[in-house]
Amino acid sequence: MNWQIYPIEQLRELAGEWDALQARSMGLPFLESAFLLPLLAEFGSGNERLAMAREQGQAVAAALLRPGKLGLWELFQPSQLPLGAWLALPTLPLAELAQGLIVALPGMALGLGLPQLDSRLSPRPQDGDSVSTQDYIETAWLDIVGDFDSYWESRGKNLKQNTRKQRNKLQSEATPTTLECLVDPAQVAAAMADYGQLESAGWKAANGTAVHPDNAQGRFYRQMLENFCAMGRARIYRYRFGDKVVSMDLCIDSGDTIVILKTAYDESYKTISPSTLMRQDEFQALFAEGRFKRIEFYGKVMEWHTRWTETKRPIYHATVYRWGMLKAVHTGLQKLRQRKPAEAVAE
């Protein structure tokens, strides 16, 4: 197996090879070039590298990397990307692949950080002399099996009662609800303006993370969703109370899997829970459509996830070192950094 390292600009040229490997290995839309290229344009530093490993001329593993501190490299993984930018055929051991990549990296690379790996797609290696893994979060998913009525009947009593009460309240106030599913690239810009208004009016505006058409987040999501809409593989669900937009989901899909990337709702309607009502209608439509078998949430399991599904699995971090002794040194330095703030507080 031969790892080759390229300037990040060559991802566009090698996008066909990257995407073909992605389809054979992960099967996740957010690890495709249509997602990663606009992500790099807005959140890349320019120091990233593309790495590809080939056997008999065919790509079997690939990664987007950036140099870190103390000779450690790491996967490109800004917050908009649910998993680290790592592709590999499931039969190939992660630790061995990473060791080979470390040797191929420029300079004297000492290790490789692999954040946010999905245990379903990248089996977690055992900790060893040169391998360290760490629990990160659990993520939830929903299998679309059978009909929606049977699924809904299996949901908890509180979810069913609350949605019924909320719908009765809206009906008593003569407030109609409407679910729109936008799939046309020409609709993305206006939809993202609506989405930005929802986030800008909520708590994300206070900490500076809200999507806005003129900021990096807004530019990225617009370009990425236009890319996927052009391929017929994006959906922007927009939910209205009367004429007012109250909740939205941004989704992209690959094969039989649809991923909910982001959700926003109007916090002034919090007591009516517009996102819950939207999701009920949204899931009912997905069950009826019959195209998808799996809905992925890709985020830390929250209480609201457990209302919709019982299934969850771990996401983990891994670090692979060039030599075993480096693991001990790095672990010691990490413990020292963690101890110093605690000692300062005690003093």
Side-chain angles (χ1 to χ4, degrees), residues 2-11 13-14 17 47-54 63-65 73 104-106:
N2 179 30
W3 279 100
Q4 290 183 285
I5 311 300
Y6 302 92
I8 196 61
E9 292 79 13
Q10 285 195 245
L11 176 59
E13 178 184 334
L14 297 171
E17 190 173 15
N47 293 325
E48 292 82 10
R49 298 288 188 275
L50 164 64
M52 278 196 169
R54 298 178 177 87
L64 302 185
L65 306 159
W73 286 68
L105 286 169

PDB file of all heavy atoms in Angstrom, residues 2-11 13-14 17 47-54 63-65 73 104-106:
ATOM      1  N   ASN A   2       0.528   2.186  -0.840  1.00  0.00           N
ATOM      2  CA  ASN A   2       1.369   3.358  -1.022  1.00  0.00           C
ATOM      3  C   ASN A   2       0.558   4.618  -0.731  1.00  0.00           C
ATOM      4  O   ASN A   2      -0.382   4.943  -1.461  1.00  0.00           O
ATOM      5  CB  ASN A   2       1.900   3.387  -2.459  1.00  0.00           C
ATOM      6  CG  ASN A   2       2.766   4.595  -2.726  1.00  0.00           C
ATOM      7  OD1 ASN A   2       3.421   5.107  -1.827  1.00  0.00           O
ATOM      8  ND2 ASN A   2       2.752   5.060  -3.960  1.00  0.00           N
ATOM      9  N   TRP A   3       0.912   5.341   0.341  1.00  0.00           N
ATOM     10  CA  TRP A   3       0.286   6.630   0.650  1.00  0.00           C
ATOM     11  C   TRP A   3       0.960   7.727  -0.163  1.00  0.00           C
ATOM     12  O   TRP A   3       2.190   7.790  -0.239  1.00  0.00           O
ATOM     13  CB  TRP A   3       0.436   6.965   2.133  1.00  0.00           C
ATOM     14  CG  TRP A   3      -0.546   6.304   3.045  1.00  0.00           C
ATOM     15  CD1 TRP A   3      -0.340   5.201   3.825  1.00  0.00           C
ATOM     16  CD2 TRP A   3      -1.896   6.726   3.303  1.00  0.00           C
ATOM     17  NE1 TRP A   3      -1.472   4.904   4.544  1.00  0.00           N
ATOM     18  CE2 TRP A   3      -2.448   5.816   4.250  1.00  0.00           C
ATOM     19  CE3 TRP A   3      -2.693   7.762   2.827  1.00  0.00           C
ATOM     20  CZ2 TRP A   3      -3.754   5.933   4.721  1.00  0.00           C
ATOM     21  CZ3 TRP A   3      -3.994   7.873   3.296  1.00  0.00           C
ATOM     22  CH2 TRP A   3      -4.516   6.966   4.234  1.00  0.00           C
ATOM     23  N   GLN A   4       0.169   8.586  -0.741  1.00  0.00           N
ATOM     24  CA  GLN A   4       0.691   9.766  -1.425  1.00  0.00           C
ATOM     25  C   GLN A   4       0.058  11.012  -0.817  1.00  0.00           C
ATOM     26  O   GLN A   4      -1.139  11.025  -0.503  1.00  0.00           O
ATOM     27  CB  GLN A   4       0.380   9.701  -2.922  1.00  0.00           C
ATOM     28  CG  GLN A   4       1.178   8.633  -3.661  1.00  0.00           C
ATOM     29  CD  GLN A   4       0.888   8.657  -5.153  1.00  0.00           C
ATOM     30  OE1 GLN A   4      -0.154   8.209  -5.593  1.00  0.00           O
ATOM     31  NE2 GLN A   4       1.839   9.180  -5.920  1.00  0.00           N
ATOM     32  N   ILE A   5       0.868  12.059  -0.673  1.00  0.00           N
ATOM     33  CA  ILE A   5       0.429  13.305  -0.061  1.00  0.00           C
ATOM     34  C   ILE A   5       0.368  14.385  -1.131  1.00  0.00           C
ATOM     35  O   ILE A   5       1.324  14.567  -1.896  1.00  0.00           O
ATOM     36  CB  ILE A   5       1.393  13.738   1.074  1.00  0.00           C
ATOM     37  CG1 ILE A   5       1.679  12.560   2.026  1.00  0.00           C
ATOM     38  CG2 ILE A   5       0.804  14.931   1.825  1.00  0.00           C
ATOM     39  CD1 ILE A   5       0.442  11.994   2.720  1.00  0.00           C
ATOM     40  N   TYR A   6      -0.764  15.106  -1.179  1.00  0.00           N
ATOM     41  CA  TYR A   6      -0.983  16.123  -2.194  1.00  0.00           C
ATOM     42  C   TYR A   6      -1.318  17.459  -1.529  1.00  0.00           C
ATOM     43  O   TYR A   6      -1.890  17.490  -0.430  1.00  0.00           O
ATOM     44  CB  TYR A   6      -2.177  15.751  -3.088  1.00  0.00           C
ATOM     45  CG  TYR A   6      -2.062  14.430  -3.796  1.00  0.00           C
ATOM     46  CD1 TYR A   6      -2.578  13.270  -3.219  1.00  0.00           C
ATOM     47  CD2 TYR A   6      -1.479  14.343  -5.058  1.00  0.00           C
ATOM     48  CE1 TYR A   6      -2.508  12.050  -3.871  1.00  0.00           C
ATOM     49  CE2 TYR A   6      -1.411  13.120  -5.733  1.00  0.00           C
ATOM     50  CZ  TYR A   6      -1.919  11.977  -5.129  1.00  0.00           C
ATOM     51  OH  TYR A   6      -1.849  10.778  -5.780  1.00  0.00           O
ATOM     52  N   PRO A   7      -1.039  18.567  -2.219  1.00  0.00           N
ATOM     53  CA  PRO A   7      -1.587  19.853  -1.751  1.00  0.00           C
ATOM     54  C   PRO A   7      -3.109  19.770  -1.740  1.00  0.00           C
ATOM     55  O   PRO A   7      -3.716  19.094  -2.577  1.00  0.00           O
ATOM     56  CB  PRO A   7      -1.087  20.855  -2.808  1.00  0.00           C
ATOM     57  CG  PRO A   7       0.035  20.173  -3.502  1.00  0.00           C
ATOM     58  CD  PRO A   7      -0.241  18.711  -3.450  1.00  0.00           C
ATOM     59  N   ILE A   8      -3.744  20.472  -0.813  1.00  0.00           N
ATOM     60  CA  ILE A   8      -5.191  20.365  -0.653  1.00  0.00           C
ATOM     61  C   ILE A   8      -5.934  20.805  -1.915  1.00  0.00           C
ATOM     62  O   ILE A   8      -7.055  20.340  -2.180  1.00  0.00           O
ATOM     63  CB  ILE A   8      -5.657  21.175   0.580  1.00  0.00           C
ATOM     64  CG1 ILE A   8      -7.067  20.751   0.986  1.00  0.00           C
ATOM     65  CG2 ILE A   8      -5.556  22.668   0.328  1.00  0.00           C
ATOM     66  CD1 ILE A   8      -7.203  19.296   1.368  1.00  0.00           C
ATOM     67  N   GLU A   9      -5.318  21.676  -2.715  1.00  0.00           N
ATOM     68  CA  GLU A   9      -5.966  22.144  -3.940  1.00  0.00           C
ATOM     69  C   GLU A   9      -6.261  21.003  -4.911  1.00  0.00           C
ATOM     70  O   GLU A   9      -7.153  21.112  -5.757  1.00  0.00           O
ATOM     71  CB  GLU A   9      -5.093  23.198  -4.635  1.00  0.00           C
ATOM     72  CG  GLU A   9      -4.964  24.513  -3.885  1.00  0.00           C
ATOM     73  CD  GLU A   9      -3.973  24.443  -2.734  1.00  0.00           C
ATOM     74  OE1 GLU A   9      -3.202  23.446  -2.661  1.00  0.00           O
ATOM     75  OE2 GLU A   9      -3.965  25.382  -1.914  1.00  0.00           O
ATOM     76  N   GLN A  10      -5.538  19.890  -4.784  1.00  0.00           N
ATOM     77  CA  GLN A  10      -5.735  18.788  -5.717  1.00  0.00           C
ATOM     78  C   GLN A  10      -6.961  17.939  -5.371  1.00  0.00           C
ATOM     79  O   GLN A  10      -7.295  17.012  -6.118  1.00  0.00           O
ATOM     80  CB  GLN A  10      -4.473  17.920  -5.795  1.00  0.00           C
ATOM     81  CG  GLN A  10      -3.369  18.588  -6.597  1.00  0.00           C
ATOM     82  CD  GLN A  10      -2.271  17.622  -6.992  1.00  0.00           C
ATOM     83  OE1 GLN A  10      -1.126  17.752  -6.549  1.00  0.00           O
ATOM     84  NE2 GLN A  10      -2.604  16.644  -7.814  1.00  0.00           N
ATOM     85  N   LEU A  11      -7.642  18.241  -4.265  1.00  0.00           N
ATOM     86  CA  LEU A  11      -8.879  17.517  -3.979  1.00  0.00           C
ATOM     87  C   LEU A  11      -9.889  17.718  -5.108  1.00  0.00           C
ATOM     88  O   LEU A  11     -10.603  16.784  -5.478  1.00  0.00           O
ATOM     89  CB  LEU A  11      -9.482  17.972  -2.646  1.00  0.00           C
ATOM     90  CG  LEU A  11     -10.838  17.337  -2.297  1.00  0.00           C
ATOM     91  CD1 LEU A  11     -10.743  15.817  -2.214  1.00  0.00           C
ATOM     92  CD2 LEU A  11     -11.378  17.907  -0.987  1.00  0.00           C
ATOM     93  N   GLU A  13      -9.267  18.155  -8.267  1.00  0.00           N
ATOM     94  CA  GLU A  13      -8.836  17.324  -9.398  1.00  0.00           C
ATOM     95  C   GLU A  13      -9.078  15.846  -9.127  1.00  0.00           C
ATOM     96  O   GLU A  13      -9.426  15.076 -10.045  1.00  0.00           O
ATOM     97  CB  GLU A  13      -7.350  17.578  -9.651  1.00  0.00           C
ATOM     98  CG  GLU A  13      -6.744  16.745 -10.766  1.00  0.00           C
ATOM     99  CD  GLU A  13      -5.252  16.983 -10.893  1.00  0.00           C
ATOM    100  OE1 GLU A  13      -4.777  18.077 -10.521  1.00  0.00           O
ATOM    101  OE2 GLU A  13      -4.554  16.068 -11.367  1.00  0.00           O
ATOM    102  N   LEU A  14      -8.915  15.426  -7.872  1.00  0.00           N
ATOM    103  CA  LEU A  14      -9.054  14.013  -7.502  1.00  0.00           C
ATOM    104  C   LEU A  14     -10.407  13.707  -6.877  1.00  0.00           C
ATOM    105  O   LEU A  14     -10.584  12.655  -6.261  1.00  0.00           O
ATOM    106  CB  LEU A  14      -7.931  13.629  -6.527  1.00  0.00           C
ATOM    107  CG  LEU A  14      -6.508  13.726  -7.089  1.00  0.00           C
ATOM    108  CD1 LEU A  14      -5.478  13.529  -5.990  1.00  0.00           C
ATOM    109  CD2 LEU A  14      -6.301  12.683  -8.194  1.00  0.00           C
ATOM    110  N   GLU A  17     -12.056  10.290  -7.670  1.00  0.00           N
ATOM    111  CA  GLU A  17     -11.452   9.147  -6.973  1.00  0.00           C
ATOM    112  C   GLU A  17     -11.844   9.157  -5.497  1.00  0.00           C
ATOM    113  O   GLU A  17     -12.158   8.116  -4.914  1.00  0.00           O
ATOM    114  CB  GLU A  17      -9.927   9.206  -7.132  1.00  0.00           C
ATOM    115  CG  GLU A  17      -9.213   7.956  -6.663  1.00  0.00           C
ATOM    116  CD  GLU A  17      -7.726   7.974  -6.980  1.00  0.00           C
ATOM    117  OE1 GLU A  17      -7.186   9.060  -7.310  1.00  0.00           O
ATOM    118  OE2 GLU A  17      -7.102   6.913  -6.875  1.00  0.00           O
ATOM    119  N   ASN A  47      -3.265  25.182   4.800  1.00  0.00           N
ATOM    120  CA  ASN A  47      -2.162  24.285   5.166  1.00  0.00           C
ATOM    121  C   ASN A  47      -2.569  22.814   5.148  1.00  0.00           C
ATOM    122  O   ASN A  47      -1.747  21.942   5.451  1.00  0.00           O
ATOM    123  CB  ASN A  47      -1.645  24.627   6.571  1.00  0.00           C
ATOM    124  CG  ASN A  47      -0.986  25.985   6.619  1.00  0.00           C
ATOM    125  OD1 ASN A  47      -0.341  26.398   5.652  1.00  0.00           O
ATOM    126  ND2 ASN A  47      -1.144  26.694   7.728  1.00  0.00           N
ATOM    127  N   GLU A  48      -3.813  22.540   4.815  1.00  0.00           N
ATOM    128  CA  GLU A  48      -4.282  21.160   4.806  1.00  0.00           C
ATOM    129  C   GLU A  48      -3.600  20.362   3.688  1.00  0.00           C
ATOM    130  O   GLU A  48      -3.082  20.921   2.723  1.00  0.00           O
ATOM    131  CB  GLU A  48      -5.806  21.104   4.627  1.00  0.00           C
ATOM    132  CG  GLU A  48      -6.598  21.643   5.802  1.00  0.00           C
ATOM    133  CD  GLU A  48      -6.728  23.154   5.810  1.00  0.00           C
ATOM    134  OE1 GLU A  48      -6.357  23.802   4.777  1.00  0.00           O
ATOM    135  OE2 GLU A  48      -7.190  23.699   6.815  1.00  0.00           O
ATOM    136  N   ARG A  49      -3.626  19.050   3.837  1.00  0.00           N
ATOM    137  CA  ARG A  49      -3.106  18.143   2.828  1.00  0.00           C
ATOM    138  C   ARG A  49      -4.138  17.059   2.537  1.00  0.00           C
ATOM    139  O   ARG A  49      -4.937  16.691   3.391  1.00  0.00           O
ATOM    140  CB  ARG A  49      -1.807  17.462   3.311  1.00  0.00           C
ATOM    141  CG  ARG A  49      -0.658  18.409   3.600  1.00  0.00           C
ATOM    142  CD  ARG A  49      -0.062  18.995   2.331  1.00  0.00           C
ATOM    143  NE  ARG A  49       1.145  19.751   2.615  1.00  0.00           N
ATOM    144  CZ  ARG A  49       1.168  21.024   2.994  1.00  0.00           C
ATOM    145  NH1 ARG A  49       0.013  21.688   3.123  1.00  0.00           N
ATOM    146  NH2 ARG A  49       2.303  21.639   3.231  1.00  0.00           N
ATOM    147  N   LEU A  50      -4.096  16.570   1.314  1.00  0.00           N
ATOM    148  CA  LEU A  50      -4.890  15.411   0.910  1.00  0.00           C
ATOM    149  C   LEU A  50      -3.969  14.206   0.882  1.00  0.00           C
ATOM    150  O   LEU A  50      -2.879  14.261   0.301  1.00  0.00           O
ATOM    151  CB  LEU A  50      -5.496  15.651  -0.477  1.00  0.00           C
ATOM    152  CG  LEU A  50      -6.038  14.435  -1.238  1.00  0.00           C
ATOM    153  CD1 LEU A  50      -7.218  13.815  -0.499  1.00  0.00           C
ATOM    154  CD2 LEU A  50      -6.426  14.824  -2.662  1.00  0.00           C
ATOM    155  N   ALA A  51      -4.375  13.129   1.513  1.00  0.00           N
ATOM    156  CA  ALA A  51      -3.599  11.889   1.512  1.00  0.00           C
ATOM    157  C   ALA A  51      -4.446  10.781   0.892  1.00  0.00           C
ATOM    158  O   ALA A  51      -5.634  10.661   1.195  1.00  0.00           O
ATOM    159  CB  ALA A  51      -3.179  11.511   2.929  1.00  0.00           C
ATOM    160  N   MET A  52      -3.827   9.976   0.036  1.00  0.00           N
ATOM    161  CA  MET A  52      -4.518   8.840  -0.573  1.00  0.00           C
ATOM    162  C   MET A  52      -3.612   7.614  -0.567  1.00  0.00           C
ATOM    163  O   MET A  52      -2.426   7.718  -0.899  1.00  0.00           O
ATOM    164  CB  MET A  52      -4.939   9.148  -2.012  1.00  0.00           C
ATOM    165  CG  MET A  52      -6.225   9.930  -2.128  1.00  0.00           C
ATOM    166  SD  MET A  52      -6.899   9.850  -3.802  1.00  0.00           S
ATOM    167  CE  MET A  52      -8.526  10.560  -3.507  1.00  0.00           C
ATOM    168  N   ALA A  53      -4.197   6.482  -0.176  1.00  0.00           N
ATOM    169  CA  ALA A  53      -3.477   5.210  -0.229  1.00  0.00           C
ATOM    170  C   ALA A  53      -4.105   4.349  -1.312  1.00  0.00           C
ATOM    171  O   ALA A  53      -5.334   4.250  -1.401  1.00  0.00           O
ATOM    172  CB  ALA A  53      -3.556   4.497   1.116  1.00  0.00           C
ATOM    173  N   ARG A  54      -3.260   3.752  -2.135  1.00  0.00           N
ATOM    174  CA  ARG A  54      -3.762   2.940  -3.243  1.00  0.00           C
ATOM    175  C   ARG A  54      -3.154   1.553  -3.202  1.00  0.00           C
ATOM    176  O   ARG A  54      -2.001   1.369  -2.791  1.00  0.00           O
ATOM    177  CB  ARG A  54      -3.445   3.611  -4.585  1.00  0.00           C
ATOM    178  CG  ARG A  54      -4.085   4.980  -4.780  1.00  0.00           C
ATOM    179  CD  ARG A  54      -3.674   5.600  -6.112  1.00  0.00           C
ATOM    180  NE  ARG A  54      -4.321   6.886  -6.364  1.00  0.00           N
ATOM    181  CZ  ARG A  54      -3.850   8.059  -5.958  1.00  0.00           C
ATOM    182  NH1 ARG A  54      -2.704   8.101  -5.258  1.00  0.00           N
ATOM    183  NH2 ARG A  54      -4.495   9.174  -6.226  1.00  0.00           N
ATOM    184  N   ALA A  63      -7.615  10.728   3.355  1.00  0.00           N
ATOM    185  CA  ALA A  63      -7.854  11.613   4.494  1.00  0.00           C
ATOM    186  C   ALA A  63      -7.531  13.046   4.090  1.00  0.00           C
ATOM    187  O   ALA A  63      -6.713  13.294   3.195  1.00  0.00           O
ATOM    188  CB  ALA A  63      -6.988  11.201   5.688  1.00  0.00           C
ATOM    189  N   LEU A  64      -8.189  13.982   4.765  1.00  0.00           N
ATOM    190  CA  LEU A  64      -7.823  15.390   4.711  1.00  0.00           C
ATOM    191  C   LEU A  64      -7.168  15.717   6.042  1.00  0.00           C
ATOM    192  O   LEU A  64      -7.740  15.466   7.113  1.00  0.00           O
ATOM    193  CB  LEU A  64      -9.053  16.276   4.484  1.00  0.00           C
ATOM    194  CG  LEU A  64      -9.872  16.002   3.230  1.00  0.00           C
ATOM    195  CD1 LEU A  64     -10.986  17.045   3.098  1.00  0.00           C
ATOM    196  CD2 LEU A  64      -9.014  15.982   1.981  1.00  0.00           C
ATOM    197  N   LEU A  65      -5.972  16.292   5.992  1.00  0.00           N
ATOM    198  CA  LEU A  65      -5.147  16.456   7.185  1.00  0.00           C
ATOM    199  C   LEU A  65      -4.679  17.897   7.335  1.00  0.00           C
ATOM    200  O   LEU A  65      -4.600  18.640   6.356  1.00  0.00           O
ATOM    201  CB  LEU A  65      -3.907  15.555   7.090  1.00  0.00           C
ATOM    202  CG  LEU A  65      -4.161  14.076   6.835  1.00  0.00           C
ATOM    203  CD1 LEU A  65      -2.912  13.438   6.278  1.00  0.00           C
ATOM    204  CD2 LEU A  65      -4.587  13.386   8.119  1.00  0.00           C
ATOM    205  N   TRP A  73      -0.068  15.507  13.527  1.00  0.00           N
ATOM    206  CA  TRP A  73      -1.034  15.902  12.518  1.00  0.00           C
ATOM    207  C   TRP A  73      -2.421  15.464  12.974  1.00  0.00           C
ATOM    208  O   TRP A  73      -2.555  14.622  13.865  1.00  0.00           O
ATOM    209  CB  TRP A  73      -0.691  15.257  11.174  1.00  0.00           C
ATOM    210  CG  TRP A  73       0.502  15.879  10.501  1.00  0.00           C
ATOM    211  CD1 TRP A  73       1.794  15.813  10.923  1.00  0.00           C
ATOM    212  CD2 TRP A  73       0.508  16.637   9.292  1.00  0.00           C
ATOM    213  NE1 TRP A  73       2.619  16.494  10.065  1.00  0.00           N
ATOM    214  CE2 TRP A  73       1.847  17.006   9.036  1.00  0.00           C
ATOM    215  CE3 TRP A  73      -0.473  17.042   8.396  1.00  0.00           C
ATOM    216  CZ2 TRP A  73       2.221  17.765   7.928  1.00  0.00           C
ATOM    217  CZ3 TRP A  73      -0.106  17.789   7.282  1.00  0.00           C
ATOM    218  CH2 TRP A  73       1.226  18.144   7.066  1.00  0.00           C
ATOM    219  N   ALA A 104       4.494   8.643   5.814  1.00  0.00           N
ATOM    220  CA  ALA A 104       4.456   9.326   4.521  1.00  0.00           C
ATOM    221  C   ALA A 104       4.316  10.841   4.629  1.00  0.00           C
ATOM    222  O   ALA A 104       4.565  11.561   3.656  1.00  0.00           O
ATOM    223  CB  ALA A 104       3.289   8.774   3.694  1.00  0.00           C
ATOM    224  N   LEU A 105       3.905  11.343   5.790  1.00  0.00           N
ATOM    225  CA  LEU A 105       3.672  12.781   5.946  1.00  0.00           C
ATOM    226  C   LEU A 105       4.981  13.561   5.875  1.00  0.00           C
ATOM    227  O   LEU A 105       6.051  13.044   6.228  1.00  0.00           O
ATOM    228  CB  LEU A 105       2.972  13.054   7.282  1.00  0.00           C
ATOM    229  CG  LEU A 105       1.496  12.666   7.338  1.00  0.00           C
ATOM    230  CD1 LEU A 105       0.971  12.712   8.776  1.00  0.00           C
ATOM    231  CD2 LEU A 105       0.664  13.592   6.445  1.00  0.00           C
ATOM    232  N   PRO A 106       4.927  14.816   5.433  1.00  0.00           N
ATOM    233  CA  PRO A 106       6.161  15.605   5.304  1.00  0.00           C
ATOM    234  C   PRO A 106       6.786  15.901   6.654  1.00  0.00           C
ATOM    235  O   PRO A 106       6.087  15.998   7.678  1.00  0.00           O
ATOM    236  CB  PRO A 106       5.686  16.888   4.613  1.00  0.00           C
ATOM    237  CG  PRO A 106       4.219  16.968   4.887  1.00  0.00           C
ATOM    238  CD  PRO A 106       3.741  15.558   4.970  1.00  0.00           C
TER     239      PRO A 106
END
